[in-house]
Amino acid sequence: MRIALALALAVLPAPLAAKEIVAADYVEPTDAYGHGALPGGEYAGLELRYADGSRNILRFEAAVFEDTAPRLHDFDGDGKPEVVAVLSGFETGAMVMIFGHDGEAARPLGQTAAIGQRHRWLAIAGIADFDGDGVDEIAYVDRPHLARTLRLVRVVLQDGQASFTQAASAPGLSNHRYGAEMIEGGVRDCPGAAPVIVTADAGWREIVATRLEAGRLVSTSAAPYDGPDSFAPVMACR
């Protein structure tokens, strides 16, 4: 699904040169979208800050950033991170979007297909190379309160454009309770071991560890779920 959202930039004057993003934050809390999946988790702007001290604020018409925090990750290995955010369109619903700086301006580099309906959300679990092929994937739960489907999308960033390909999916998993402040679990990425996605099961009875094996997501029960703190032992590297 293509999105028809207009991007508006609030740009502080800066020389036209390649910029290294060093930090990102959601700014300008808003109730214009009115979903409420995250208390206070809808924002009109995404602020990018650069190594040279300049910054940009990106805004979209008819959309908000709906997330806990933007994530910095270097997808193309050039030593300069891109920014991963969740954007929710008033008509299209949520999508994962990657932002970068092309030497002239900050801009979107690409996005996943939008869910297709407003007030349908997705919650990012983490980013890693789950199959060891040198290409990173984004792990997220598609509609953690409804569909409860874990998805992996492979991201290739080339010539300033990000392309997304679904690598695998698995039903019956969630990482967020409606109205909670945090996304629970995450990605356990330990030296010498393949990354593991840690979520709850759909009924929030168990903590589940999921690995990508031969192109399939394979889940195993890791521990009983007993509140957010019960994830810590499962997330720890041993």
Side-chain angles (χ1 to χ4, degrees):
M1 175 179 296
R2 293 180 62 85
I3 58 170
L5 300 171
L7 174 65
L9 297 178
V11 183
L12 299 185
L16 297 181
K19 291 179 178 291
E20 179 181 356
I21 299 169
V22 295
D25 290 292
Y26 296 127
V27 295
E28 302 170 6
T30 178
D31 60 3
Y33 186 52
H35 185 193
L38 293 154
E42 298 167 26
Y43 302 87
L46 170 66
E47 182 179 77
L48 307 182
R49 299 194 296 277
Y50 304 99
D52 66 1
S54 62
R55 60 188 175 93
N56 299 97
I57 298 177
L58 290 74
R59 304 179 185 88
F60 285 83
E61 296 179 6
V64 299
F65 295 94
E66 186 178 20
D67 198 3
T68 55
R71 297 149 185 86
L72 270 61
H73 188 84
D74 181 7
F75 286 97
D76 57 5
D78 67 353
K80 298 178 180 180
E82 289 72 44
V83 176
V84 180
V86 177
L87 186 77
S88 290
F90 289 6
E91 301 301 327
T92 60
M95 66 203 82
V96 177
M97 188 171 282
I98 295 178
F99 297 86
H101 196 283
D102 64 7
E104 294 187 356
R107 64 179 181 87
L109 306 181
Q111 69 279 327
T112 63
I115 288 174
Q117 184 176 353
R118 67 182 287 126
H119 294 175
R120 299 294 184 268
W121 189 52
L122 53 84
I124 294 177
I127 307 166
D129 180 5
F130 290 94
D131 56 7
D133 67 351
V135 178
D136 292 332
E137 292 88 22
I138 300 174
Y140 65 90
V141 178
D142 180 353
R143 290 160 288 177
H145 322 120
L146 296 170
R148 300 180 179 92
T149 299
L150 175 64
R151 299 191 189 278
L152 280 187
V153 289
R154 183 172 291 112
V155 180
V156 174
L157 184 58
Q158 189 173 14
D159 298 327
Q161 297 294 323
S163 62
F164 299 79
T165 305
Q166 181 164 298
S169 64
L173 301 169
S174 185
N175 60 350
H176 183 261
R177 292 175 178 269
Y178 188 87
E181 293 184 358
M182 69 180 72
I183 295 171
E184 298 188 40
V187 171
R188 187 178 73 214
D189 196 357
C190 302
V196 176
I197 307 160
V198 181
T199 66
D201 69 337
W204 288 86
R205 294 179 296 270
E206 296 181 319
I207 296 174
V208 178
T210 302
R211 297 169 173 82
L212 183 62
E213 298 180 2
R216 296 177 57 249
L217 289 174
V218 179
S219 298
T220 56
S221 177
Y225 177 77
D226 187 25
D229 291 342
S230 61
F231 276 99
V234 182
M235 290 291 295
C237 294
R238 297 177 175 85

